[in-house]
Amino acid sequence: MPQTLDAIDAKILDLIQKDAALSVAEIADRVGLSSSPCWRRIKRMEEAGIIQGRVTLLDRDTLGLGFEVVASVKLALPSKENLDRFERLVGKWPEVLECMTVTGAVDYVMRITTTDMHAYDSFLREQLLGSGLVSDVQSRIVINVAKRTTALPLGLISDYVPAG
């Protein structure tokens, strides 16, 4: 069941999801609370599973991991056992940033990052097709990313309207 958020909770979440390095004191100052009540709100949202963790976003291009592919994957036989087996395999492949079960003509859509086309070809042949579970892969090389964010649209579930 979705959690209800008041405007202060939503503002705290908006600040944290845009900059996880902010201190509790900085967050408290920006939302108009003292540190203790702000910390209690953050702790409550962590315990409720709303805040799942805090990460640092890395620049893939600077690290040499800028080759990105969106792959549509169809399993040869999409049984429960094969779906479970495939998902366990995907969990072991660090190149896979996201893997979603979808409706339609394919079983999964995956976002994959590698160093270059040759590395992707190796991944495709050895991991995906080498799994023995996949009957078809349609690969789309990402040319440009028009928008990418990890920030959820909190204004859809709260009266709080994040600053542009």
Side-chain angles (χ1 to χ4, degrees):
M1 175 168 227
Q3 298 282 324
T4 56
L5 302 174
D6 65 18
I8 294 173
D9 285 346
K11 189 170 184 180
I12 290 169
L13 291 174
D14 190 51
L15 290 167
I16 290 171
Q17 75 176 351
K18 290 178 179 166
D19 185 357
L22 290 173
S23 69
V24 172
E26 289 172 302
I27 296 166
D29 184 55
R30 293 187 193 182
V31 300
L33 293 174
S34 62
S35 290
S36 291
C38 183
W39 179 84
R40 282 193 296 274
R41 283 175 178 259
I42 292 169
K43 194 74 178 152
R44 177 180 45 79
M45 290 187 284
E46 287 173 342
E47 290 168 357
I50 294 169
I51 299 171
Q52 295 181 344
R54 300 179 197 195
V55 299
T56 298
L57 302 176
L58 307 177
D59 186 302
R60 291 184 3 264
D61 291 326
T62 302
L63 292 168
L65 293 167
F67 191 82
E68 185 172 4
V69 175
V70 176
S72 300
V73 177
K74 183 165 183 54
L75 297 186
L77 178 63
S79 65
K80 180 186 178 333
E81 293 78 19
N82 285 347
L83 292 167
D84 290 344
R85 236 174 99 206
F86 183 75
E87 290 172 13
R88 280 193 304 276
L89 284 173
V90 166
K92 297 176 184 176
W93 298 335
E95 299 90 343
V96 178
L97 303 179
E98 293 180 277
C99 179
M100 288 95 28
T101 306
V102 295
T103 60
V106 299
D107 298 305
Y108 295 95
V109 173
M110 303 170 74
R111 191 163 68 92
I112 301 162
T113 193
T114 65
T115 55
D116 57 29
M117 189 174 302
H118 299 292
Y120 177 69
D121 183 57
S122 293
F123 173 80
L124 176 65
R125 290 170 187 263
E126 295 169 21
Q127 311 309 77
L128 277 176
L129 298 174
S131 72
L133 297 169
V134 174
S135 67
D136 185 45
V137 178
Q138 296 177 13
S139 302
R140 291 166 183 85
I141 297 168
V142 176
I143 303 299
N144 179 53
V145 177
K147 178 180 180 180
R148 176 169 288 148
T149 184
T150 59
L152 295 176
L154 298 172
L156 297 177
I157 59 168
S158 170
D159 292 336
Y160 169 70
V161 179

